[in-house]
Amino acid sequence: MKLQVAIDRKSLAETTKLVQLLDGKADIIEFGTSLVKDFGMQSLQKISNKIKESQILYDIKTYDEGAYEFESGFNYGADYLTVIGSASEKTIALCNDQTSNKKKMMIDLTDVPAAQVAKIAGYSQAIYLIHHNNDSSTKQDLIQMVEQFHQNHPNIENLAVAGGIDLKAAQKLRQQELVDIIVVGGAITQAVAPLNELQKFIRVIKGH
Amino acid sequence: MKLQVAIDRKSLAETTKLVQLLDGKADIIEFGTSLVKDFGMQSLQKISNKIKESQILYDIKTYDEGAYEFESGFNYGADYLTVIGSASEKTIALCNDQTSNKKKMMIDLTDVPAAQVAKIAGYSQAIYLIHHNNDSSTKQDLIQMVEQFHQNHPNIENLAVAGGIDLKAAQKLRQQELVDIIVVGGAITQAVAPLNELQKFIRVIKGH
């Protein structure tokens, strides 16, 4: 099980510090949508270039212009890029055309109905991200969401999950053994001592 | 009827040149999604700050985090920001909360079914963008799309239209008298002589 740490709503200086702290400890370092839109991938690459061990994800949330955006994002140094699951099937196919064994597509399923998921379920190399809507005022049970998703789509193998994950949720997700990647944001990046929190998550997820 | 000119897939230097050429001639200068994601709004603001007369749109295509993204985009100097019509109703409402008489929301309706449009049709100050999917291989008739949209949603007043508009389409849209804003991209920005093409569009749209 992999730990992805998402950095959002930070300055470039704060992002640089967090990245130094996360490199080699988080499996995947995510540059969140807020960083992409505020500062752009060209600026983010100056930071991600210095990452030695962790993999790099830009949360670009492509909705149209799939070929251009995925080509651009991989050129700017990403190992993973995101596309919105409610984008057109054609757009998702064009994103997928830009991927390889080392450059992967993560499909963000925030608010995507099961019928639409079924239509885009055939990308065996893609990661399917079960994502709690950040703007929703009702708190959803992520463990239940994952269970339900797995029942609806038993053939989808590569699952990730995101949205307000704390240590307790991480522990349950590990026991559940359905997702490959857990995305943690504020619980680490907003902590008073991010390194301490990071290590707690690593212990819970990796058992060491 | 207003002319919005969209700049996409250009370097910052090329964008600066185009903006100088467009300022005061295009009603709205759009910094396209490709520019937002490649360079970020912080870099784009250095260019848009120099715009004296035209209004400024950043095509940020918000899908989640509506409050953060719209607050950020308006702070970086936008007069208009875009949200994806298939975002959650809550996200669109949060975007709308950040708007004012001078700071407006444009809802991008690419691939949004009529039933979903009906749910978000009540924002009287918003602009509803009828948008041909750029990744679609079939060419849709924009004039017909606008007519159909108007029949489905007669109460929506502020309409814009985008997607491969050439001079002929602009002329028909003007005669149709249903849209307030015509978005032109490559027909101007990719032209050998962009200023010439711009002036042709102005003649067609404004009649002078």
Side-chain angles (χ1 to χ4, degrees):
Chain A
M1 188 176 252
K2 288 185 181 176
L3 175 62
Q4 175 175 327
V5 181
I7 307 173
D8 263 298
R9 304 187 185 201
K10 301 284 183 189
S11 69
L12 289 174
E14 290 166 334
T15 301
T16 302
K17 274 191 193 169
L18 276 167
V19 163
Q20 285 167 348
L21 184 149
L22 293 168
D23 187 17
K25 298 190 182 75
D27 299 288
I28 303 166
I29 299 175
E30 172 187 333
F31 296 79
T33 311
S34 54
L35 299 183
V36 172
K37 291 182 180 174
D38 287 349
F39 307 119
M41 293 188 284
Q42 193 183 61
S43 297
L44 297 182
Q45 187 178 29
K46 289 175 193 153
I47 300 172
S48 69
N49 261 343
K50 294 178 190 149
I51 294 174
K52 294 203 181 83
E53 296 189 48
S54 301
Q55 289 190 293
I56 296 158
L57 182 144
Y58 296 155
D59 188 14
I60 62 174
K61 288 195 170 65
T62 294
Y63 186 73
D64 195 2
E65 307 275 2
Y68 178 85
E69 292 199 1
F70 265 50
E71 189 183 4
S72 180
F74 288 134
N75 282 339
Y76 281 123
D79 300 300
Y80 297 86
L81 293 168
T82 60
V83 60
I84 296 177
S86 56
S88 73
E89 289 170 64
K90 182 70 186 288
T91 296
I92 295 172
L94 289 170
C95 291
N96 188 62
D97 287 347
Q98 299 293 321
T99 65
S100 65
N101 281 337
K102 300 182 83 173
K103 300 285 186 182
K104 290 187 187 290
M105 166 169 77
M106 185 179 276
I107 305 176
D108 186 332
L109 299 171
T110 305
D111 294 324
V112 182
Q116 166 77 356
V117 174
K119 286 185 196 163
I120 54 170
Y123 296 107
S124 61
Q125 295 303 307
I127 297 110
Y128 290 77
L129 175 64
I130 301 166
H131 197 170
H132 177 270
N133 183 330
N134 295 324
D135 284 340
S136 168
S137 42
T138 55
K139 182 124 175 107
Q140 290 160 283
D141 181 335
L142 281 173
I143 289 87
Q144 223 167 48
M145 278 173 77
V146 170
E147 179 62 41
Q148 185 66 53
F149 186 90
H150 178 65
Q151 281 179 23
N152 289 344
H153 313 285
N155 294 329
I156 296 183
E157 282 190 4
N158 306 316
L159 296 185
V161 61
I165 294 179
D166 56 16
L167 273 173
K168 214 167 146 183
Q171 190 136 35
K172 286 186 189 166
L173 288 162
R174 196 199 167 189
Q175 286 159 356
Q176 193 181 32
E177 292 188 322
L178 287 174
V179 301
D180 306 289
I181 300 173
I182 291 183
V183 186
V184 179
I188 290 173
T189 64
Q190 305 283 65
V192 181
L195 187 59
N196 280 356
E197 292 308 306
L198 173 64
Q199 284 163 338
K200 286 183 202 167
F201 274 94
I202 291 172
R203 265 197 298 277
V204 161
I205 291 171
K206 313 267 183 185
H208 58 78
Chain B
M1 188 175 254
K2 287 183 180 177
L3 175 63
Q4 175 175 327
V5 181
I7 306 172
D8 262 299
R9 305 187 185 200
K10 300 286 183 187
S11 69
L12 289 174
E14 290 166 334
T15 302
T16 302
K17 274 192 194 166
L18 276 167
V19 163
Q20 285 167 348
L21 184 150
L22 294 168
D23 187 16
K25 298 192 182 74
D27 298 288
I28 303 167
I29 299 174
E30 173 187 332
F31 295 80
T33 310
S34 55
L35 299 183
V36 171
K37 291 182 180 174
D38 286 348
F39 307 119
M41 292 189 285
Q42 192 182 62
S43 297
L44 298 183
Q45 187 178 28
K46 290 174 193 154
I47 300 172
S48 70
N49 262 342
K50 293 178 190 149
I51 294 175
K52 294 204 179 83
E53 295 187 50
S54 300
Q55 289 189 294
I56 295 159
L57 183 144
Y58 295 155
D59 189 12
I60 62 175
K61 289 197 170 58
T62 294
Y63 186 73
D64 196 1
E65 308 276 1
Y68 178 85
E69 292 199 3
F70 265 50
E71 189 183 4
S72 181
F74 288 135
N75 283 340
Y76 282 122
D79 300 299
Y80 297 85
L81 292 168
T82 59
V83 61
I84 296 176
S86 56
S88 73
E89 289 171 62
K90 183 70 186 291
T91 295
I92 295 172
L94 288 170
C95 291
N96 188 61
D97 288 347
Q98 299 293 322
T99 64
S100 64
N101 281 337
K102 298 183 81 173
K103 300 285 187 185
K104 291 189 189 288
M105 167 170 76
M106 185 178 277
I107 305 176
D108 186 331
L109 299 170
T110 305
D111 295 323
V112 182
Q116 166 76 356
V117 175
K119 287 185 195 162
I120 54 169
Y123 295 107
S124 61
Q125 296 302 306
I127 297 108
Y128 290 78
L129 175 64
I130 302 165
H131 197 170
H132 178 269
N133 184 329
N134 295 325
D135 284 340
S136 167
S137 42
T138 55
K139 182 125 177 106
Q140 291 159 284
D141 181 335
L142 281 173
I143 288 88
Q144 221 167 49
M145 279 174 77
V146 170
E147 179 63 40
Q148 186 66 51
F149 187 89
H150 178 65
Q151 281 178 21
N152 290 344
H153 314 284
N155 294 328
I156 295 182
E157 283 191 1
N158 306 315
L159 296 185
V161 62
I165 294 179
D166 56 16
L167 272 173
K168 213 167 150 184
Q171 190 138 32
K172 284 186 190 166
L173 288 161
R174 195 198 168 187
Q175 286 160 355
Q176 192 181 33
E177 292 188 323
L178 286 175
V179 302
D180 305 289
I181 300 172
I182 290 183
V183 186
V184 179
I188 291 172
T189 64
Q190 305 283 66
V192 180
L195 188 59
N196 280 357
E197 292 308 306
L198 174 63
Q199 283 163 339
K200 285 183 201 166
F201 274 95
I202 291 173
R203 265 197 298 277
V204 161
I205 291 172
K206 314 268 184 184
H208 58 77

